[in-house]
Amino acid sequence: MFDKVLVANRGEIAVRVMRACEELGVNTVAVYSDADKHGGHVRYADEAYNVGPARAADSYLDGEAVVEAARSAGADAIHPGYGFLAENADFAARVEAADGITWVGPESDAMERLGEKTHARRVMDDADVPIVPGTTEPVTEVEAVTDFGDEHGYPVAIKAEGGGGGRGMKVVESADEAEEALESAKREGEAYFSNDSVYLERYLRTPRHVEVQIVADDPAASDDADADAPVTESDVVHLGERDCSLQRRHQKVIEEGPSPALSDDLREQIGEAARRGVAAADYTNAGTVEFLVEEDPDRDPSEPLGPDTPFYFLEVNTRIQVEHTVTEELTGIDIVKEQLRVASGEGLSVSQGDVELEGHAIEFRINAEDAANDFQPANEGSLETYDPPGGIGVRVDDALRQGDELVTDYDSMIAKLIVRAGDREECLARSKRALAEYDLKGVVTIVPFHRLMLDDERFVDGTHTTKYLDEELDRELVAEAQEKWGTESSSSGDDDEEVTEREFTVEVNGKRFDVELEERGAPAIPVPEGGGSGGGQQRPPQATSDDDGDDAVDVAEGGEAVEAEMQGTILSVDVDEGDEVAAGDVVCVLEAMKMENDVVAERGGTVASVHVDEGDSVDMGDVLIVLE
């Protein structure tokens, strides 16, 4: 087993991994950005290293900085958690090449094979795993989209090769939409995954999202094994399925297991298909094989889907999943520990015959979002009250403490509530009790939405599909739940109080430490003319109608400042200084909540200044374009 593991992540998943390490007697190292210097994962770790500024690309996504932190700490392994660099095959290869550091995850070659969706489809097809009708090679021309639609019918899904979670996926309802959707999917693929390759699939109208958790041993890891020994089905263990059909904009919000919709025969078929596919891909460590299962809209809730129900391979997530906790509650198997055992060469501690699923479990993602406002993420807040639920069958994975400020630079999920019981009916009842106990004030969350779902007929019956929230749920009910049970985000502090940061270098027993001291109300430290000591990239000046200082940009009388209506990332800037734009013209495209949003000019005019570039992160209210 390893001596020290660096967790290349933040928040609740970093703490989750560190807890498993602690139980195995392994020391832990955290990495953090400037925005996370007071984060819960930093508090929990044995030691912590700063890897850069708040922007993820300059910190958590800086593979070189993460590996260097591991070297500095003397870590002999890196666990990526999920998100950030977890599915980055290049980063995995960098760790594999680093002397004395082990990658806790599948080999980079396997990640690359399965990360390319068209290649993954070919692997699964060869392994006799059903795949959705679609292309096995990337498409580049709009004619390929329309020809596919003519052959298989509309709607057609255009998907980015490196995509996931709805990013880089566009649905084409008719030939007229093909060109714009193709360009949009390619643009998102390039922006998020540095890969503008896309492929096509038939878009299913009534799909359920069912995924199988697997863990796979490395047959080449033992001392007497052939270094080139391939993975076989006997090396792969499936730990049952999870149903993740309750989604908004292709993002999961509630996950449960076992699926309330599957018969035992269909469940076994899907599990065995996952084992075959993973073995064919020569895949080791933990992963999730995702499937789409065609729901029967006329099905009686008491009659599960039978063995003749069509199901199709969707993708493999080459990492641990957010919802791995559901499987842990059903099986009693610590998936993170199994990851560490495989990576260290110890091998799995379980076989397929050891796996037994008991009871029912549901996970609720506690997102800092306003479900009544189209799940818009909070842009500020402070946990004035944080008192999570407890009792039998209740688990909370978080990294929070009462009084913490909400960090809005990253994903909006701040905690996970996992509830387990003897059967689904009891689990739903226990979930009601646990959500009612969850006392969280100062940050808007989707807890009221979750409480609404526990009385929703379609969800309780288990007949919902992935489209239910987006296309069928009554939005007025969501607003009423937020009004009844919700809390608003508070201001994150007294903006009028000046905060001065002072930096010191101290020595303790000969070891150097950099110490930062925050003083509230203290006089500012003089800065030499021409700038400070840091070399970090500065945000562009923000426009204002008042003369607030040298960096302010005035909006001329009668002009217009086009502002960001939500926090997000700039995908494209469609105008330059001097361009003429009319009312309603698109000036840039903003990605937020996994969706592209056209930012338009309300009145029109001449572009006086552009304040953002492609790839910039912006907050709600930031000025993007100034017109005169």
Side-chain angles (χ1 to χ4, degrees):
M1 183 50 66
F2 304 114
D3 293 320
K4 185 184 291 188
V5 172
L6 181 144
V7 184
N9 218 294
R10 64 180 297 276
E12 61 83 20
I13 186 57
V15 172
R16 162 71 190 93
V17 174
M18 291 172 188
R19 283 172 170 156
C21 289
E22 184 171 358
E23 292 179 15
L24 292 172
V26 177
N27 291 326
T28 56
V29 182
V31 292
Y32 64 95
S33 71
D34 291 347
D36 272 337
K37 59 186 175 182
H38 301 306
H41 69 292
V42 177
R43 293 191 293 254
Y44 194 92
D46 294 311
E47 53 189 296
Y49 289 77
N50 182 289
V51 288
R55 186 169 178 261
D58 300 323
S59 52
Y60 294 111
L61 291 174
D62 186 341
E64 183 177 354
V66 172
V67 172
E68 184 56 38
R71 288 196 184 99
S72 299
D76 51 355
I78 293 178
H79 192 299
Y82 52 71
F84 292 128
L85 294 167
E87 290 187 279
N88 187 312
D90 290 340
F91 176 68
R94 181 196 291 268
V95 177
E96 290 167 349
D99 187 36
I101 304 177
T102 299
W103 169 252
V104 182
E107 292 184 357
S108 58
D109 288 344
M111 293 174 66
E112 188 168 3
R113 285 193 297 272
L114 294 175
E116 295 176 358
K117 300 303 191 293
T118 52
H119 185 104
R121 284 167 57 83
R122 291 196 296 271
V123 170
M124 294 298 159
D125 196 26
D126 291 343
D128 198 27
V129 177
I131 63 174
V132 179
T135 59
T136 54
E137 297 293 339
V139 300
T140 57
E141 303 297 331
V142 68
E143 288 77 17
V145 182
T146 54
D147 289 347
F148 185 88
D150 292 340
E151 179 180 355
H152 295 282
Y154 291 94
V156 173
I158 305 177
K159 295 186 173 183
E161 281 256 51
R167 279 183 168 162
M169 186 181 88
K170 301 299 170 185
V171 178
V172 182
E173 296 286 353
S174 68
D176 294 340
E177 300 177 4
E179 183 174 7
E180 182 179 348
L182 177 63
E183 291 305 313
S184 179
K186 291 172 66 176
R187 184 168 64 240
E188 280 196 18
E190 178 63 35
Y192 287 109
F193 314 108
S194 300
N195 181 357
D196 68 353
S197 293
V198 299
Y199 65 101
L200 307 178
E201 281 185 351
R202 180 165 69 86
Y203 187 66
L204 304 181
R205 293 192 177 277
T206 57
R208 298 189 72 93
H209 180 119
V210 176
E211 61 188 33
V212 178
Q213 175 70 59
I214 63 93
V215 286
D217 233 334
D218 184 354
S222 60
D223 294 336
D224 57 349
D226 181 353
D228 297 321
V231 177
T232 65
E233 285 187 50
S234 62
D235 298 312
V236 183
V237 178
H238 83 76
L239 305 180
E241 90 283 356
R242 301 182 289 257
D243 195 310
C244 309
S245 300
L246 201 71
Q247 304 180 4
R248 49 94 181 165
R249 293 173 171 172
H250 308 288
Q251 294 295 299
K252 305 165 188 174
V253 286
I254 298 177
E255 303 100 338
E256 62 180 312
S259 170
L262 304 188
S263 63
D264 289 340
D265 288 342
L266 182 58
R267 175 173 292 114
E268 185 63 21
Q269 286 183 36
I270 294 174
E272 289 305 312
R275 292 183 73 193
R276 287 198 306 275
V278 165
D282 204 27
Y283 184 97
T284 60
N285 213 278
T288 302
V289 187
E290 298 188 342
F291 296 91
L292 295 178
V293 180
E294 288 208 49
E295 175 64 275
D296 178 2
D298 300 320
R299 177 175 65 90
D300 187 307
S302 64
E303 296 292 332
L305 297 169
D308 296 329
T309 302
F311 67 91
Y312 306 101
F313 167 76
L314 179 62
E315 64 181 354
V316 177
N317 289 120
T318 57
R319 53 171 168 78
I320 199 164
Q321 292 267 86
V322 173
E323 60 272 18
H324 74 280
T325 54
V326 170
T327 300
E328 291 182 331
E329 294 303 306
L330 294 175
T331 63
I333 296 170
D334 187 320
I335 297 171
V336 175
K337 287 183 181 178
E338 296 303 323
Q339 285 189 288
L340 294 166
R341 290 185 178 114
V342 172
S344 66
E346 291 185 5
L348 292 176
S349 68
V350 296
S351 64
Q352 192 63 61
D354 298 326
V355 179
E356 294 184 8
L357 275 66
E358 297 184 0
H360 198 89
I362 305 177
E363 176 184 270
F364 302 88
R365 299 192 184 198
I366 310 301
N367 296 344
E369 299 173 352
D370 184 355
N373 191 17
D374 205 21
F375 289 89
Q376 180 169 314
N379 65 351
E380 64 176 352
S382 175
L383 289 168
E384 299 168 356
T385 301
Y386 186 72
D387 188 8
I392 188 170
V394 175
R395 166 180 171 179
V396 176
D397 279 19
D398 61 18
L400 303 174
R401 183 180 292 172
Q402 187 163 296
D404 282 355
E405 300 288 341
L406 180 65
V407 176
T408 60
D409 299 87
Y410 314 108
D411 188 86
S412 60
M413 190 178 72
I414 58 176
K416 301 182 307 196
L417 169 65
I418 308 97
V419 180
R420 181 186 178 278
D423 56 36
R424 190 170 190 261
E425 183 179 5
E426 183 183 23
C427 195
L428 292 171
R430 183 167 291 165
S431 296
K432 285 186 178 181
R433 186 266 296 172
L435 286 164
E437 285 183 9
Y438 214 137
D439 192 1
L440 197 158
K441 294 183 177 66
V443 174
V444 64
T445 72
I446 61 171
V447 167
F449 165 81
H450 290 320
R451 297 180 70 176
L452 172 67
M453 286 297 98
L454 293 177
D455 285 320
D456 181 85
E457 182 178 0
R458 286 285 298 279
F459 178 71
V460 172
D461 284 346
T463 59
H464 55 287
T465 70
T466 60
K467 301 180 182 180
Y468 176 60
L469 293 185
D470 292 334
E471 299 180 3
E472 300 179 51
L473 181 65
D474 185 347
R475 300 296 177 197
E476 289 298 321
L477 296 178
V478 179
E480 291 172 6
Q482 186 66 35
E483 179 70 23
K484 181 177 181 180
W485 294 309
T487 180
E488 297 298 319
S489 289
S490 63
S491 175
S492 58
D494 183 358
D495 294 335
D496 294 330
E497 184 178 24
E498 187 170 10
V499 178
T500 300
E501 291 191 2
R502 304 183 190 273
E503 297 183 357
F504 304 90
T505 299
V506 299
E507 281 191 1
V508 179
N509 295 329
K511 186 174 182 179
R512 289 169 60 87
F513 294 89
D514 292 326
V515 179
E516 293 183 356
L517 175 66
E518 288 188 357
E519 297 183 77
R520 296 185 177 272
I525 300 173
V527 178
E529 186 176 352
S533 59
Q537 188 175 11
Q538 300 297 312
R539 289 182 61 86
Q542 290 296 294
T544 175
S545 57
D546 298 313
D547 187 8
D548 291 330
D550 294 339
D551 289 336
V553 176
D554 291 337
V555 179
E557 185 175 351
E560 176 186 354
V562 182
E563 299 179 346
E565 295 184 354
M566 60 191 77
Q567 182 190 43
T569 301
I570 299 297
L571 288 182
S572 69
V573 178
D574 300 337
V575 296
D576 294 311
E577 289 187 18
D579 286 355
E580 296 291 332
V581 298
D585 282 356
V586 177
V587 296
C588 59
V589 179
L590 172 70
E591 186 279 332
M593 300 174 287
K594 318 297 192 239
M595 298 291 288
E596 286 190 13
N597 301 271
D598 290 338
V599 180
V600 301
E602 291 186 5
R603 296 194 299 270
T606 303
V607 177
S609 55
V610 178
H611 295 268
V612 288
D613 293 315
E614 182 178 316
D616 283 355
S617 297
V618 297
D619 291 324
M620 184 170 63
D622 281 359
V623 173
L624 312 177
I625 308 289
V626 174
L627 304 177
E628 59 183 11

